[in-house]
Coordinates of all heavy atoms in Angstrom, one line a residue:
M21 N 70.5 -4.1 -44.7 CA 69.7 -3.8 -43.5 C 69.7 -2.3 -43.3 O 70.8 -1.7 -43.2 CB 70.3 -4.6 -42.3 CG 69.4 -4.5 -41.1 SD 70.0 -5.6 -39.8 CE 70.5 -4.4 -38.6
N22 N 68.6 -1.7 -43.0 CA 68.5 -0.3 -42.7 C 69.0 -0.1 -41.3 O 68.7 -0.9 -40.4 CB 67.1 0.2 -42.9 CG 66.7 0.3 -44.3 OD1 67.6 0.5 -45.2 ND2 65.4 0.2 -44.6
Q23 N 69.7 1.0 -41.0 CA 70.1 1.3 -39.7 C 69.7 2.7 -39.4 O 69.9 3.7 -40.2 CB 71.7 1.2 -39.6 CG 72.2 1.4 -38.2 CD 73.7 1.2 -38.1 OE1 74.3 0.9 -39.1 NE2 74.2 1.3 -36.9
Q24 N 69.1 2.9 -38.2 CA 68.6 4.2 -37.8 C 69.7 5.0 -37.2 O 70.5 4.5 -36.4 CB 67.4 4.0 -36.8 CG 66.7 5.3 -36.5 CD 65.5 5.1 -35.6 OE1 65.7 4.5 -34.6 NE2 64.4 5.6 -36.0
H25 N 69.7 6.3 -37.6 CA 70.7 7.2 -36.9 C 69.9 8.3 -36.3 O 69.0 8.9 -36.9 CB 71.6 7.8 -38.0 CG 72.4 6.8 -38.7 ND1 73.6 6.3 -38.2 CD2 72.2 6.2 -39.9 CE1 74.1 5.4 -39.1 NE2 73.2 5.3 -40.1
V26 N 70.2 8.6 -35.1 CA 69.6 9.8 -34.4 C 70.5 10.9 -34.3 O 71.7 10.8 -33.9 CB 69.2 9.4 -32.9 CG1 68.7 10.6 -32.2 CG2 68.2 8.2 -32.9
H27 N 70.1 12.0 -34.9 CA 70.9 13.3 -34.9 C 70.4 14.2 -33.8 O 69.2 14.3 -33.6 CB 70.9 13.9 -36.2 CG 71.4 13.0 -37.3 ND1 72.7 12.8 -37.6 CD2 70.7 12.2 -38.2 CE1 72.8 11.9 -38.5 NE2 71.6 11.5 -38.9
C28 N 71.2 14.9 -33.1 CA 70.8 15.7 -32.0 C 71.8 16.9 -31.8 O 73.0 16.7 -32.0 CB 70.8 14.8 -30.7 SG 70.3 15.6 -29.3
L29 N 71.2 18.0 -31.4 CA 72.0 19.2 -31.2 C 72.3 19.5 -29.7 O 72.9 20.5 -29.4 CB 71.3 20.4 -31.8 CG 70.9 20.3 -33.2 CD1 70.2 21.6 -33.7 CD2 72.1 19.9 -34.1
I30 N 72.0 18.6 -28.8 CA 72.1 18.9 -27.4 C 73.4 18.4 -26.9 O 73.6 17.3 -26.4 CB 70.9 18.1 -26.6 CG1 69.6 18.4 -27.2 CG2 70.9 18.6 -25.1 CD1 69.2 19.8 -27.4
N31 N 74.4 19.3 -27.0 CA 75.8 18.9 -26.7 C 76.2 18.8 -25.3 O 77.4 18.5 -25.0 CB 76.8 19.8 -27.5 CG 76.8 21.2 -27.0 OD1 76.1 21.6 -26.1 ND2 77.7 22.0 -27.6
N32 N 75.3 19.1 -24.4 CA 75.7 18.8 -23.0 C 75.1 17.5 -22.5 O 75.1 17.2 -21.3 CB 75.3 19.9 -22.0 CG 73.8 20.1 -22.0 OD1 73.1 19.9 -23.0 ND2 73.3 20.6 -20.9
C33 N 74.6 16.7 -23.4 CA 74.0 15.4 -23.1 C 75.1 14.3 -23.0 O 76.0 14.3 -23.9 CB 72.9 14.9 -24.1 SG 72.3 13.3 -23.7
H34 N 75.1 13.4 -22.1 CA 76.0 12.3 -22.0 C 76.2 11.5 -23.3 O 77.3 11.0 -23.6 CB 75.6 11.4 -20.8 CG 76.3 10.1 -20.7 ND1 77.7 10.1 -20.3 CD2 75.9 8.8 -20.9 CE1 78.1 8.8 -20.3 NE2 77.0 8.1 -20.6
Y35 N 75.1 11.4 -24.0 CA 75.1 10.6 -25.2 C 75.5 11.3 -26.5 O 75.6 10.7 -27.6 CB 73.7 9.9 -25.4 CG 73.4 9.0 -24.2 CD1 72.4 9.5 -23.3 CD2 74.0 7.8 -24.0 CE1 72.1 8.7 -22.2 CE2 73.7 7.0 -22.9 CZ 72.7 7.5 -22.0 OH 72.4 6.7 -20.9
W36 N 75.7 12.6 -26.4 CA 75.9 13.4 -27.6 C 77.4 13.2 -28.1 O 78.3 13.1 -27.3 CB 75.7 14.9 -27.3 CG 75.9 15.8 -28.5 CD1 75.0 16.1 -29.5 CD2 77.1 16.4 -28.9 NE1 75.5 17.0 -30.4 CE2 76.8 17.2 -30.1 CE3 78.4 16.5 -28.4 CZ2 77.8 18.0 -30.7 CZ3 79.4 17.2 -29.0 CH2 79.1 18.0 -30.2
A37 N 77.6 13.2 -29.4 CA 79.0 13.1 -30.0 C 79.2 14.0 -31.1 O 78.2 14.5 -31.8 CB 79.2 11.6 -30.5
N38 N 80.4 14.3 -31.4 CA 80.8 15.2 -32.5 C 80.1 14.8 -33.8 O 79.9 13.6 -34.1 CB 82.3 15.2 -32.8 CG 83.0 16.0 -31.7 OD1 82.5 16.9 -31.1 ND2 84.3 15.6 -31.5
G39 N 79.7 15.8 -34.6 CA 78.9 15.5 -35.8 C 77.4 15.5 -35.5 O 76.6 15.1 -36.3
N40 N 77.1 15.9 -34.2 CA 75.7 16.0 -33.8 C 75.0 14.6 -33.9 O 73.9 14.4 -34.5 CB 74.9 17.0 -34.6 CG 75.3 18.4 -34.2 OD1 75.7 18.7 -33.1 ND2 75.3 19.3 -35.2
K41 N 75.7 13.6 -33.3 CA 75.2 12.3 -33.3 C 74.8 11.9 -31.9 O 75.4 12.3 -30.9 CB 76.3 11.3 -33.8 CG 76.7 11.5 -35.2 CD 77.8 10.6 -35.5 CE 78.4 10.9 -36.9 NZ 79.7 10.1 -37.1
C42 N 73.8 11.1 -31.8 CA 73.4 10.5 -30.5 C 74.0 9.1 -30.5 O 73.8 8.3 -31.4 CB 71.9 10.4 -30.4 SG 71.4 9.5 -28.9
E43 N 74.8 8.8 -29.4 CA 75.4 7.5 -29.3 C 74.7 6.6 -28.3 O 75.3 5.6 -27.8 CB 76.9 7.7 -29.0 CG 77.6 8.3 -30.1 CD 79.1 8.3 -30.0 OE1 79.6 8.2 -28.8 OE2 79.8 8.4 -31.0
A44 N 73.5 7.0 -27.9 CA 72.8 6.1 -27.0 C 72.3 4.9 -27.8 O 72.0 5.0 -29.0 CB 71.5 6.8 -26.4
N45 N 72.3 3.7 -27.2 CA 71.9 2.5 -28.0 C 70.4 2.5 -28.3 O 69.9 1.8 -29.1 CB 72.4 1.2 -27.3 CG 71.7 0.9 -26.0 OD1 71.4 1.9 -25.3 ND2 71.6 -0.3 -25.7
E46 N 69.7 3.2 -27.5 CA 68.2 3.5 -27.7 C 67.8 4.7 -27.0 O 68.5 5.1 -26.0 CB 67.4 2.3 -27.3 CG 67.6 1.8 -25.9 CD 66.9 0.5 -25.5 OE1 65.8 0.3 -26.1 OE2 67.4 -0.2 -24.6
I47 N 66.8 5.4 -27.5 CA 66.3 6.6 -26.8 C 64.8 6.5 -26.7 O 64.1 5.7 -27.4 CB 66.7 7.9 -27.5 CG1 65.9 8.0 -28.9 CG2 68.2 8.0 -27.7 CD1 66.0 9.4 -29.5
L48 N 64.2 7.3 -25.8 CA 62.8 7.3 -25.6 C 62.3 8.8 -25.8 O 62.8 9.7 -25.1 CB 62.4 6.8 -24.2 CG 60.9 6.9 -23.9 CD1 60.1 5.9 -24.8 CD2 60.6 6.6 -22.4
V49 N 61.5 9.0 -26.8 CA 60.8 10.3 -27.0 C 59.4 10.3 -26.4 O 58.7 9.3 -26.7 CB 60.8 10.7 -28.5 CG1 60.1 12.0 -28.7 CG2 62.2 10.7 -29.0
T50 N 59.1 11.3 -25.6 CA 57.8 11.3 -24.9 C 57.2 12.7 -25.0 O 57.9 13.7 -25.3 CB 58.0 10.9 -23.4 OG1 58.5 12.1 -22.7 CG2 58.8 9.7 -23.2
P51 N 55.9 12.8 -24.6 CA 55.4 14.1 -24.4 C 56.1 14.8 -23.2 O 56.5 14.1 -22.3 CB 53.9 13.9 -24.0 CG 53.6 12.5 -24.6 CD 54.9 11.8 -24.5
D52 N 56.2 16.1 -23.3 CA 56.9 16.8 -22.2 C 56.2 16.5 -20.9 O 56.9 16.4 -19.8 CB 56.8 18.4 -22.4 CG 57.7 18.8 -23.5 OD1 58.6 18.1 -23.9 OD2 57.4 20.0 -24.0
T53 N 54.9 16.5 -20.9 CA 54.2 16.3 -19.6 C 54.5 14.9 -19.0 O 54.5 14.8 -17.8 CB 52.7 16.4 -19.9 OG1 52.3 15.6 -21.0 CG2 52.2 17.8 -20.1
F54 N 54.7 13.9 -19.8 CA 55.0 12.6 -19.3 C 56.4 12.6 -18.7 O 56.6 12.2 -17.5 CB 55.0 11.5 -20.5 CG 55.4 10.2 -20.0 CD1 54.5 9.2 -19.6 CD2 56.8 9.8 -20.1 CE1 54.9 8.0 -19.2 CE2 57.2 8.5 -19.7 CZ 56.3 7.6 -19.3
A55 N 57.4 13.1 -19.4 CA 58.7 13.2 -18.9 C 58.9 13.9 -17.6 O 59.6 13.6 -16.7 CB 59.7 13.8 -19.9
A56 N 58.1 15.0 -17.5 CA 58.2 15.8 -16.3 C 57.7 15.1 -15.0 O 58.1 15.5 -13.9 CB 57.3 17.1 -16.5
N57 N 56.9 14.0 -15.2 CA 56.4 13.4 -14.0 C 56.9 12.0 -13.8 O 56.4 11.2 -13.0 CB 54.8 13.3 -14.2 CG 54.2 14.6 -14.2 OD1 54.5 15.4 -13.3 ND2 53.4 14.9 -15.2
Q58 N 58.0 11.6 -14.5 CA 58.6 10.3 -14.3 C 60.0 10.3 -13.7 O 60.7 11.3 -13.9 CB 58.6 9.6 -15.7 CG 57.3 9.4 -16.4 CD 56.4 8.5 -15.6 OE1 56.8 7.5 -15.0 NE2 55.1 8.8 -15.6
Q59 N 60.3 9.2 -13.1 CA 61.7 9.1 -12.5 C 62.7 8.9 -13.6 O 62.3 8.5 -14.7 CB 61.7 7.9 -11.6 CG 60.8 8.0 -10.4 CD 60.8 6.7 -9.6 OE1 61.4 5.7 -10.0 NE2 60.1 6.7 -8.5
D60 N 64.0 9.2 -13.3 CA 65.0 9.0 -14.3 C 65.1 7.5 -14.8 O 65.5 7.3 -15.9 CB 66.4 9.4 -13.7 CG 66.5 10.9 -13.5 OD1 65.7 11.6 -14.2 OD2 67.2 11.3 -12.6
S61 N 64.7 6.6 -14.0 CA 64.8 5.2 -14.4 C 63.8 4.8 -15.4 O 64.0 3.7 -16.1 CB 64.6 4.3 -13.1 OG 63.4 4.5 -12.5
I62 N 62.8 5.6 -15.7 CA 61.8 5.3 -16.7 C 62.4 5.7 -18.0 O 62.5 6.9 -18.3 CB 60.4 6.0 -16.5 CG1 59.9 5.7 -15.1 CG2 59.4 5.6 -17.5 CD1 59.6 4.2 -14.8
D63 N 62.7 4.8 -18.9 CA 63.4 5.2 -20.2 C 63.2 4.1 -21.2 O 62.3 3.3 -21.1 CB 64.9 5.5 -19.9 CG 65.4 6.6 -20.9 OD1 65.3 6.4 -22.1 OD2 65.8 7.7 -20.4
A64 N 64.0 4.2 -22.3 CA 63.8 3.3 -23.5 C 63.7 1.8 -23.2 O 63.0 1.1 -23.9 CB 64.9 3.6 -24.5
T65 N 64.4 1.4 -22.2 CA 64.4 -0.1 -21.9 C 63.0 -0.5 -21.4 O 62.8 -1.7 -21.5 CB 65.4 -0.4 -20.8 OG1 65.1 0.4 -19.6 CG2 66.9 -0.1 -21.2
M66 N 62.2 0.4 -21.0 CA 60.8 0.1 -20.6 C 59.8 0.4 -21.6 O 58.6 0.4 -21.3 CB 60.5 0.8 -19.3 CG 61.6 0.5 -18.2 SD 61.2 1.5 -16.7 CE 59.8 0.6 -16.1
A67 N 60.2 0.8 -22.8 CA 59.2 1.3 -23.8 C 58.0 0.5 -24.1 O 56.9 1.0 -24.2 CB 60.0 1.6 -25.1
K68 N 58.2 -0.8 -24.2 CA 57.1 -1.7 -24.5 C 56.0 -1.7 -23.4 O 54.8 -2.1 -23.7 CB 57.6 -3.2 -24.7 CG 58.4 -3.3 -26.0 CD 58.8 -4.8 -26.1 CE 59.7 -4.9 -27.4 NZ 60.3 -6.3 -27.5
Q69 N 56.3 -1.3 -22.2 CA 55.4 -1.3 -21.2 C 54.6 0.0 -21.0 O 53.7 0.1 -20.2 CB 56.1 -1.6 -19.8 CG 56.9 -2.9 -19.8 CD 57.8 -2.9 -18.6 OE1 57.5 -2.5 -17.5 NE2 59.1 -3.2 -18.9
L70 N 55.0 1.0 -21.8 CA 54.5 2.4 -21.6 C 53.3 2.6 -22.5 O 53.3 2.1 -23.6 CB 55.6 3.4 -21.8 CG 56.8 3.3 -20.9 CD1 57.9 4.3 -21.3 CD2 56.4 3.5 -19.4
T71 N 52.4 3.5 -22.1 CA 51.2 3.8 -22.9 C 51.5 4.9 -23.9 O 52.0 6.0 -23.5 CB 50.1 4.3 -22.0 OG1 49.9 3.3 -21.0 CG2 48.8 4.6 -22.7
P72 N 51.2 4.7 -25.2 CA 51.5 5.8 -26.2 C 50.6 7.0 -25.9 O 49.5 6.8 -25.3 CB 51.1 5.1 -27.5 CG 50.7 3.7 -27.3 CD 50.7 3.5 -25.8
A73 N 51.0 8.1 -26.4 CA 50.2 9.3 -26.2 C 50.4 10.3 -27.4 O 51.4 10.1 -28.2 CB 50.7 10.0 -25.0
S74 N 49.5 11.2 -27.6 CA 49.6 12.2 -28.7 C 50.3 13.4 -28.3 O 50.4 13.7 -27.1 CB 48.3 12.5 -29.3 OG 47.5 13.0 -28.3
A75 N 50.8 14.2 -29.3 CA 51.4 15.5 -29.0 C 50.9 16.6 -29.9 O 50.5 16.3 -31.0 CB 52.9 15.4 -29.1
E76 N 50.8 17.8 -29.5 CA 50.3 18.9 -30.3 C 51.3 19.3 -31.4 O 50.9 19.6 -32.5 CB 50.1 20.1 -29.4 CG 49.0 19.9 -28.4 CD 47.6 19.8 -29.0 OE1 47.3 20.5 -30.0 OE2 46.8 18.9 -28.6
S77 N 52.6 19.3 -31.1 CA 53.6 19.7 -32.0 C 54.9 19.2 -31.6 O 55.1 18.6 -30.4 CB 53.6 21.2 -32.2 OG 54.2 21.7 -31.0
C78 N 56.0 19.4 -32.3 CA 57.3 18.9 -31.9 C 57.7 19.6 -30.6 O 58.5 19.1 -29.8 CB 58.3 19.2 -33.0 SG 58.5 20.9 -33.5
M79 N 57.2 20.8 -30.4 CA 57.6 21.6 -29.2 C 57.0 21.0 -27.9 O 57.4 21.4 -26.8 CB 57.1 23.0 -29.3 CG 58.0 23.8 -30.4 SD 57.5 25.5 -30.6 CE 56.0 25.3 -31.4
S80 N 56.1 20.0 -28.0 CA 55.6 19.4 -26.8 C 56.1 18.0 -26.6 O 55.6 17.2 -25.9 CB 54.1 19.4 -26.8 OG 53.6 18.8 -27.9
T81 N 57.2 17.7 -27.3 CA 57.9 16.4 -27.1 C 59.3 16.6 -26.6 O 59.9 17.7 -26.8 CB 57.9 15.6 -28.5 OG1 58.9 16.2 -29.3 CG2 56.6 15.5 -29.1
C82 N 59.8 15.6 -26.0 CA 61.2 15.7 -25.5 C 61.9 14.3 -25.5 O 61.3 13.3 -25.7 CB 61.3 16.3 -24.1 SG 60.7 15.2 -22.9
C83 N 63.2 14.4 -25.4 CA 64.0 13.2 -25.3 C 64.1 12.8 -23.8 O 64.8 13.5 -23.1 CB 65.4 13.4 -25.9 SG 66.4 11.9 -25.7
K84 N 63.5 11.8 -23.4 CA 63.5 11.4 -22.0 C 64.9 10.8 -21.7 O 65.2 10.7 -20.5 CB 62.4 10.3 -21.8 CG 62.3 9.7 -20.4 CD 61.8 10.8 -19.4 CE 61.5 10.2 -18.0 NZ 62.7 9.7 -17.3
T85 N 65.6 10.4 -22.6 CA 66.9 9.8 -22.4 C 68.0 10.8 -22.1 O 69.1 10.4 -21.5 CB 67.3 8.9 -23.6 OG1 66.2 8.1 -24.0 CG2 68.6 8.1 -23.4
F86 N 67.8 12.0 -22.3 CA 68.8 13.1 -22.0 C 69.3 13.0 -20.5 O 68.4 12.8 -19.6 CB 68.2 14.5 -22.2 CG 69.0 15.6 -21.6 CD1 70.1 16.1 -22.3 CD2 68.8 16.1 -20.3 CE1 70.9 17.1 -21.8 CE2 69.6 17.1 -19.8 CZ 70.6 17.6 -20.5
V87 N 70.6 13.0 -20.4 CA 71.1 13.1 -19.0 C 72.4 14.0 -19.2 O 73.2 13.8 -20.2 CB 71.4 11.8 -18.4 CG1 72.4 10.9 -19.2 CG2 71.9 11.9 -17.0
Q88 N 72.6 14.9 -18.3 CA 73.8 15.8 -18.5 C 75.1 15.0 -18.4 O 75.2 14.1 -17.6 CB 73.7 16.9 -17.4 CG 72.7 17.9 -17.6 CD 73.1 19.3 -17.1 OE1 74.3 19.5 -16.8 NE2 72.2 20.2 -16.9
K89 N 76.1 15.5 -19.2 CA 77.4 14.9 -19.1 C 77.9 15.1 -17.6 O 77.6 16.1 -16.9 CB 78.4 15.7 -20.0 CG 78.3 15.3 -21.4 CD 79.2 16.1 -22.3 CE 79.0 15.7 -23.7 NZ 79.7 16.6 -24.6
N90 N 78.6 14.0 -17.2 CA 79.2 14.0 -15.8 C 78.2 14.0 -14.7 O 78.6 14.3 -13.5 CB 80.2 15.2 -15.7 CG 81.3 15.2 -16.8 OD1 81.8 14.1 -17.1 ND2 81.5 16.3 -17.3
S91 N 76.9 13.8 -15.0 CA 75.9 13.7 -14.0 C 76.1 12.4 -13.2 O 76.5 11.4 -13.7 CB 74.5 13.7 -14.6 OG 73.6 13.3 -13.7
D92 N 75.7 12.4 -11.9 CA 75.7 11.1 -11.2 C 74.5 10.3 -11.5 O 74.3 9.2 -10.9 CB 75.8 11.4 -9.7 CG 74.6 12.2 -9.2 OD1 73.7 12.6 -10.0 OD2 74.6 12.5 -8.0
K93 N 73.7 10.7 -12.5 CA 72.5 9.9 -12.8 C 72.7 9.2 -14.2 O 71.7 8.7 -14.7 CB 71.3 10.8 -12.9 CG 70.9 11.5 -11.6 CD 69.7 12.4 -11.7 CE 69.4 13.0 -10.4 NZ 68.3 14.0 -10.5
I94 N 73.9 9.2 -14.7 CA 74.1 8.6 -16.0 C 73.7 7.1 -16.1 O 73.2 6.7 -17.1 CB 75.7 8.7 -16.3 CG1 76.0 10.1 -16.7 CG2 76.1 7.7 -17.4 CD1 77.4 10.4 -16.9
N95 N 73.8 6.4 -15.0 CA 73.4 5.0 -15.1 C 72.0 4.7 -14.6 O 71.5 3.5 -14.6 CB 74.4 4.1 -14.2 CG 75.8 4.2 -14.8 OD1 76.0 4.1 -16.0 ND2 76.8 4.4 -13.9
A96 N 71.2 5.7 -14.3 CA 69.9 5.5 -13.7 C 68.9 4.9 -14.7 O 68.0 4.2 -14.4 CB 69.3 6.9 -13.2
D97 N 69.1 5.2 -16.0 CA 68.2 4.7 -17.0 C 68.6 3.4 -17.7 O 67.8 2.9 -18.6 CB 67.9 5.8 -18.1 CG 69.2 6.3 -18.7 OD1 70.3 5.6 -18.6 OD2 69.2 7.3 -19.5
H98 N 69.7 2.9 -17.4 CA 70.2 1.6 -18.0 C 70.3 1.6 -19.5 O 70.2 0.6 -20.2 CB 69.3 0.4 -17.6 CG 69.2 0.3 -16.1 ND1 70.2 -0.1 -15.3 CD2 68.1 0.5 -15.3 CE1 69.8 -0.1 -14.0 NE2 68.5 0.3 -14.0
I99 N 70.6 2.8 -20.0 CA 70.9 3.0 -21.5 C 72.4 3.0 -21.6 O 73.1 3.5 -20.8 CB 70.3 4.4 -22.0 CG1 68.8 4.5 -21.7 CG2 70.6 4.5 -23.5 CD1 68.0 3.5 -22.4
N100 N 72.9 2.4 -22.7 CA 74.3 2.3 -22.9 C 74.8 3.2 -24.1 O 74.0 3.4 -25.0 CB 74.7 0.9 -23.3 CG 74.4 -0.1 -22.1 OD1 74.7 0.2 -21.0 ND2 73.7 -1.2 -22.4
K101 N 76.0 3.7 -24.0 CA 76.6 4.4 -25.1 C 77.1 3.3 -26.1 O 77.7 2.3 -25.6 CB 77.8 5.2 -24.6 CG 77.5 6.7 -24.5 CD 78.8 7.4 -24.2 CE 78.6 8.9 -24.4 NZ 79.8 9.7 -24.1
M102 N 76.9 3.5 -27.4 CA 77.3 2.5 -28.4 C 78.8 2.5 -28.6 O 79.4 1.5 -29.0 CB 76.6 2.7 -29.7 CG 75.1 2.5 -29.5 SD 74.3 2.6 -31.1 CE 74.5 4.3 -31.6
F103 N 79.5 3.6 -28.4 CA 81.0 3.7 -28.7 C 81.7 4.2 -27.5 O 81.2 4.8 -26.7 CB 81.2 4.6 -29.9 CG 80.3 4.3 -31.1 CD1 79.2 5.1 -31.5 CD2 80.6 3.2 -31.9 CE1 78.5 4.7 -32.6 CE2 79.8 2.8 -33.0 CZ 78.7 3.6 -33.3
Ligands
SF4_227 S1 69.9 10.9 -25.6 FE1 68.5 12.4 -26.5 S2 69.3 14.4 -25.9 FE2 70.9 12.9 -25.6 S3 72.1 13.0 -27.5 FE3 70.6 11.4 -27.7 S4 68.8 12.3 -28.7 FE4 70.1 14.0 -27.9

């Protein structure tokens, strides 16, 4: 069975781990404009309900699942750390 691995360089994210690994059990990548206008609670657990959109380049996409380490918003998106 294939297993997806997400690699990430954002080391102040709650889900980031040594080796530049993302330890979120799921993530949501969105256009920057979408993420800027949504509450923290809108995230990967709601992905099936969200409308897909296009992006001009990688620079106009972002990880909606990002949350700063030690933030009081860590549980707002209902995403879990795998380890
Ligand atoms: S949730 Fe997003 S920003 Fe945070 S470590 Fe994973 S991929 Fe990176």
Side-chain angles (χ1 to χ4, degrees):
M21 189 173 112
N22 289 333
Q23 188 175 359
Q24 188 176 52
H25 299 277
V26 175
H27 303 279
C28 181
L29 305 184
I30 313 300
N31 68 357
N32 66 327
C33 177
H34 171 66
Y35 300 105
W36 182 90
N38 286 333
N40 294 324
K41 296 175 187 170
C42 174
E43 292 189 341
N45 66 330
E46 53 186 330
I47 67 167
L48 178 67
V49 176
T50 74
D52 287 345
T53 47
F54 176 89
N57 294 312
Q58 299 296 323
Q59 299 174 354
D60 292 333
S61 58
I62 307 298
D63 212 300
T65 57
M66 305 178 72
K68 288 181 182 172
Q69 305 163 46
L70 302 174
T71 304
S74 59
E76 294 294 318
S77 72
C78 61
M79 289 181 287
S80 56
T81 71
C82 74
C83 177
K84 179 71 173 67
T85 308
F86 168 84
V87 61
Q88 286 213 17
K89 281 180 181 170
N90 305 316
S91 162
D92 59 0
K93 297 178 177 175
I94 284 170
N95 296 317
D97 54 12
H98 304 292
I99 305 298
N100 297 312
K101 256 188 171 178
M102 293 188 292
F103 307 106

